[in-house]
Amino acid sequence: GAVVSQHPSRVICKSGTSVKIECRSLDFQATTMFWYRQFPKQSLMLMATSNEGSKATYEQGVEKDKFLINHASLTLSTLTVTSAHPEDSSFYICSASTPDGLLRFGQGTRLTVV
Amino acid sequence: DAKTTQPPSMDCAEGRAANLPCNHSTISGNEYVYWYRQIHSQGPQYIIHGLKNNETNEMASLIITEDRKSSTLILPHATLRDTAVYYCIVRVGGGNAGNMLTFGGGTRLMVKP
């Protein structure tokens, strides 16, 4: 079946540095990918919609200059957390829509900023 | 997308059927019912979806009421590995890649030995 691969699965970085998270659709092309964020014991919150070849669409309250999204190909979207701070520590999850309209999710990335 | 209501938590004995309810009384005619689950520290996993007919696959069965205002996900023989948060989501289906999923609180299913 359609697989979405996310890397890395966990990362620890120092405050003030930037971290890049990759999301790949392994066996299908995805013109649209979505990035979610999840805090402990809470549900997933949509951060942004990533469109191949164009600018991402951010949800209200999400800083586009802090969470840079690039969707340069039909199989890869990246989320870069710039100048990370401890409050950015969270579980980040990407998803992509398969050709038959199902949304498949990556394994998630646990980001810890120290 | 229509809003859904699910019980926050449920317990189920291992080997028994787990029946997870979902209310979606404002669902519109072109909206499907999707079920996903999220095991701790993993991304959500697709389980099943349907429009108005009951559906079954290797993971579960989905029973949708005739008026489509509620549905039940059935795990016929729950195992400890089925312990997870189960999300019921309604959205317009089909091949539109622009339709993201809006997650509610879900039901935390605990399967006990």
Side-chain angles (χ1 to χ4, degrees):
Chain A
V3 176
V4 175
S5 178
Q6 192 172 337
H7 178 81
S9 59
R10 58 177 64 234
V11 57
I12 300 173
C13 72
K14 291 184 177 180
S15 187
T17 62
S18 295
V19 174
K20 180 184 285 188
I21 303 170
E22 293 186 348
C23 180
R24 294 181 184 273
S25 56
L26 295 187
D27 48 2
F28 66 98
Q29 294 183 332
T31 55
T32 303
M33 292 185 176
F34 305 96
W35 287 95
Y36 291 82
R37 182 175 182 176
Q38 186 176 34
F39 290 108
K41 298 191 184 301
Q42 294 186 22
S43 190
L44 285 76
M45 295 296 297
L46 180 67
M47 297 176 65
T49 301
S50 170
N51 302 296
E52 187 269 335
S54 64
K55 291 183 178 180
T57 304
Y58 291 82
E59 295 299 300
Q60 191 172 8
V62 177
E63 301 176 58
K64 61 181 179 181
D65 294 331
K66 181 166 187 63
F67 299 100
L68 300 180
I69 291 173
N70 185 280
H71 195 156
S73 78
L74 287 171
T75 59
L76 174 64
S77 175
T78 61
L79 169 67
T80 301
V81 183
T82 62
S83 187
H85 291 286
E87 56 266 31
D88 298 324
S89 298
S90 190
F91 192 53
Y92 293 88
I93 310 167
C94 71
S95 71
S97 183
T98 64
D100 57 359
L102 287 178
L103 281 178
R104 298 286 184 178
F105 289 80
Q107 308 93 315
T109 298
R110 174 78 57 194
L111 170 63
T112 303
V113 184
V114 298
Chain B
D1 292 341
K3 185 177 179 180
T4 62
T5 304
Q6 298 177 253
S9 64
M10 289 182 64
D11 289 345
C12 177
E14 186 179 19
R16 304 296 295 268
N19 297 285
L20 293 93
C22 180
N23 286 320
H24 31 79
S25 59
T26 60
I27 192 171
S28 56
N30 62 347
E31 287 183 313
Y32 287 69
V33 180
Y34 290 82
W35 282 85
Y36 283 77
R37 73 180 182 184
Q38 186 178 23
I39 295 170
H40 182 63
S41 294
Q42 297 183 24
Q45 176 190 23
Y46 165 79
I47 302 174
I48 199 167
H49 76 285
L51 182 62
K52 52 184 176 181
N53 296 324
N54 297 337
E55 302 286 345
T56 296
N57 63 20
E58 65 278 4
M59 290 184 69
S61 294
L62 173 61
I63 308 298
I64 302 174
T65 58
E66 192 169 341
D67 63 7
R68 302 208 324 123
K69 292 185 177 182
S70 66
S71 61
T72 301
L73 178 74
I74 301 173
L75 307 179
H77 305 286
T79 70
L80 299 179
R81 288 179 294 179
D82 292 322
T83 292
V85 178
Y86 288 76
Y87 295 99
C88 166
I89 303 162
V90 293
R91 74 169 179 109
V92 176
N96 188 339
N99 290 331
M100 77 295 186
L101 293 175
T102 301
F103 286 81
T107 295
R108 188 173 298 275
L109 175 68
M110 179 74 72
V111 180
K112 297 184 175 180

